[in-house]
Amino acid sequence: MFENLSERLSGVFDRLTKQGALSEDDVKTALREVRVALLEADVSLPVAREFVKKVQDQATGQAVTRSVTPGQQVVKIVHDALVDTLTGEEDPGKLKIDNPPAPVLMVGLQGGGKTTTTAKLAKRLKEKEGKRVLMASLDVYRPAAMDQLAVLGAQIGVDTLPIVPGQKPVDIAKRAKQQATMGGYDVYMLDTAGRLQIDEVLMQEVEDVRDVVKPRETLLVVDGLTGQVAVEVAEEFDRKIGISGVVLTRMDGDGRGGAALSMRAVTGKPIRFVGLGEKMDALETFEPERIAGRILG
Ligand code: GDP
């Protein structure tokens, strides 16, 4: 579907005279192509501009290594700069869940993949780290969402907090904390209610829950295919709630993953995991190298 950036750049450089070092004009010409590739990968315009500027300063004047073409060299510089920007934490998959029971708050819009991701992450903590996990749904508006978490819990062998109809989110959170403490759980995960859009009532509710449980991690789950919207959602949640990381879902889709770059550049928050499908195993630790490769095509 997309023309590969390396191919595009070799085309550009074929038309340029080969010199000993990358001249400002060479770099400028090449970076125009890079900017187009970034925009096609759904990186937002201001982020693409800023990124290209940074790379331009790095690349200009660099000696061209004999073993590679100037085009390949610019691709390498761009690739390394992408990885650099995308890298947020040394070990993004390592959650801060010492001092049991550690509360983990899952937040995001409805349909972003929050409930699925909660269960995927619980399974991962159980299987990879041997943690005892309790999950609780705070979605008092959609009984189906509560049932969905219970069904997933049964499927992956992770306990869920029994549903008590009519309880408020804050009270469910308190009950989860109590049960996690008494039951000797390492982690309790709270799957908050989502909305179709950000609204004040939703935010206030999540803030109240946050103040009660004081989460060790607050993970925002967003659909990676929604690009700029995902970034705006992250900014808003971070401003109001304070997030410790992001999970980008639907990265198994057609998207080129540019949202990841915008997300890092705009919010400064680390991307911790990516969702790669509907199955309970389809969750991976975020790997900057992989996304960089995908953005470049
Ligand atoms: P919530 O409303 O945020 O809790 O969203 P759900 O967890 O219910 O997910 C909504 C839909 O997206 C479900 O059909 C999930 O199976 C699907 N989904 C979640 N994560 C992924 C993912 O990483 N890839 C794909 N392809 N589908 C996903």
Side-chain angles (χ1 to χ4, degrees):
M1 178 162 63
F2 304 98
E3 194 187 352
N4 178 303
L5 182 65
S6 314
E7 283 164 19
R8 264 193 201 159
L9 286 184
S10 8
V12 169
F13 279 99
D14 281 350
R15 280 178 264 126
L16 299 169
T17 44
K18 292 242 167 78
Q19 291 157 346
L22 294 173
S23 77
E24 199 175 331
D25 276 351
D26 291 351
V27 172
K28 268 198 182 143
T29 313
L31 289 183
R32 261 200 290 277
E33 298 296 325
V34 171
R35 199 168 81 147
V36 172
L38 292 177
L39 295 176
E40 279 177 0
D42 207 17
V43 176
S44 69
L45 183 59
V47 171
R49 266 203 201 121
E50 176 93 0
F51 179 83
V52 163
K53 197 167 159 288
K54 181 172 140 192
V55 175
Q56 185 167 327
D57 295 341
Q58 274 172 24
T60 305
Q62 267 206 16
V64 177
T65 327
R66 224 169 266 161
S67 56
V68 296
T69 66
Q72 285 168 336
Q73 186 156 345
V74 173
V75 170
K76 164 106 175 61
I77 294 168
V78 171
H79 174 269
D80 292 352
L82 279 175
V83 171
D84 190 52
T85 306
L86 286 166
T87 302
E89 300 234 323
E90 211 171 286
D91 190 357
K94 186 104 197 83
L95 297 181
K96 294 177 196 71
I97 45 170
D98 37 355
N99 295 340
V104 174
L105 195 58
M106 306 295 287
V107 300
L109 298 186
Q110 191 176 313
K114 193 161 20 66
T115 302
T116 313
T117 304
T118 302
K120 285 177 177 175
L121 204 49
K123 182 172 192 282
R124 183 189 160 98
L125 290 172
K126 174 188 158 197
E127 291 176 0
K128 291 214 165 134
E129 299 190 32
K131 301 288 185 196
R132 282 198 67 208
V133 185
L134 176 70
M135 303 190 292
S137 170
L138 307 187
D139 195 342
V140 296
Y141 310 96
R142 293 191 307 146
M146 289 195 158
D147 293 341
Q148 185 193 350
L149 192 69
V151 167
L152 293 174
Q155 192 184 319
I156 59 177
V158 168
D159 294 339
T160 45
L161 188 73
I163 297 169
V164 176
Q167 256 193 340
K168 292 204 179 84
V170 166
D171 295 324
I172 303 174
K174 285 182 187 160
R175 190 156 56 86
K177 181 178 182 176
Q178 195 178 29
Q179 172 141 347
T181 308
M182 303 213 313
Y185 289 90
D186 298 305
V187 184
Y188 62 105
M189 304 183 70
L190 302 175
D191 181 16
T192 61
R195 296 278 200 286
L196 293 176
Q197 290 161 352
I198 296 214
D199 75 50
E200 289 307 315
V201 179
L202 161 98
M203 284 299 182
Q204 190 58 51
E205 189 179 289
V206 183
E207 271 178 58
D208 293 346
V209 170
R210 176 201 63 194
D211 293 344
V212 165
V213 302
K214 305 197 169 43
R216 296 286 285 136
E217 295 274 4
T218 301
L219 300 179
L220 173 77
V221 181
V222 279
D223 182 341
L225 293 180
T226 59
Q228 193 51 29
V229 172
V231 177
E232 281 160 19
V233 167
E235 279 189 288
E236 190 64 15
F237 269 91
D238 193 36
R239 206 166 22 237
K240 294 269 169 58
I241 316 291
I243 58 175
S244 59
V246 177
V247 181
L248 287 179
T249 61
R250 302 217 171 78
M251 297 299 273
D252 49 312
D254 289 340
R256 291 266 300 274
L261 189 74
S262 303
M263 185 66 80
R264 278 288 303 151
V266 173
T267 69
K269 295 294 165 183
I271 300 164
R272 310 289 285 272
F273 299 97
V274 292
L276 293 168
E278 303 203 15
K279 297 230 168 72
M280 286 293 104
D281 284 326
L283 184 79
E284 287 186 4
T285 304
F286 176 68
E287 283 179 34
E289 290 274 347
R290 220 197 251 191
I291 300 288
R294 193 158 149 180
I295 290 174
L296 289 178

